[in-house]
Amino acid sequence: MRTGSEPATARSALRARFWLSVWGLVWAVFGTAAFALAGRPGWAAACGVLWLVVTVDMAVIVRHIRQGPHYQPGRDVPPYRPVDDELSYRRPARHRPPWHGMRHRHP
């Protein structure tokens, strides 16, 4: 159900992002070392740049995790405000042409 406040109440799976970054970091380090040992400096540099990007991403993720509930609400915080029973969904009025409802007269 959409409430209209999704940008303010959206949650990010920061711990999952962190572990995916760890996985990417391991492969970037491995790729940098493997290509450097194989004599491929271009590929080693590309993996080194990827290593840098992953490290910066991990730093941002760790910072957001440490900032606490403002960026990562706990399980006890609902993702949206509960729906009021009084405010039920109403179907929007349909647009009808002006001739709708007019009776045709036959001569």
Side-chain angles (χ1 to χ4, degrees):
M1 173 189 318
R2 294 188 57 96
T3 62
S5 65
E6 282 79 10
T9 58
R11 296 182 185 194
S12 174
L14 291 175
R15 290 190 190 347
R17 279 183 58 196
F18 174 78
W19 288 111
L20 287 171
S21 293
V22 168
W23 180 253
L25 182 69
V26 168
W27 279 105
V29 170
F30 174 76
T32 303
F35 285 123
L37 292 174
R40 301 284 189 160
W43 284 104
C47 287
V49 169
L50 184 61
W51 182 356
L52 178 65
V53 169
V54 170
T55 303
V56 169
D57 185 44
M58 284 181 65
V60 170
I61 292 168
V62 168
R63 179 175 176 259
H64 283 179
I65 288 173
R66 289 187 180 185
Q67 282 181 338
H70 177 68
Y71 286 97
Q72 184 70 17
R75 291 188 172 104
D76 57 336
V77 178
Y80 54 85
R81 285 180 289 177
V83 178
D84 293 334
D85 290 336
E86 296 175 9
L87 300 174
S88 62
Y89 176 76
R90 293 182 187 167
R91 179 176 286 187
R94 295 188 338 186
H95 175 72
R96 295 184 176 177
W99 59 84
H100 182 78
M102 298 174 103
R103 296 186 177 229
H104 296 287
R105 294 185 183 181
H106 297 288

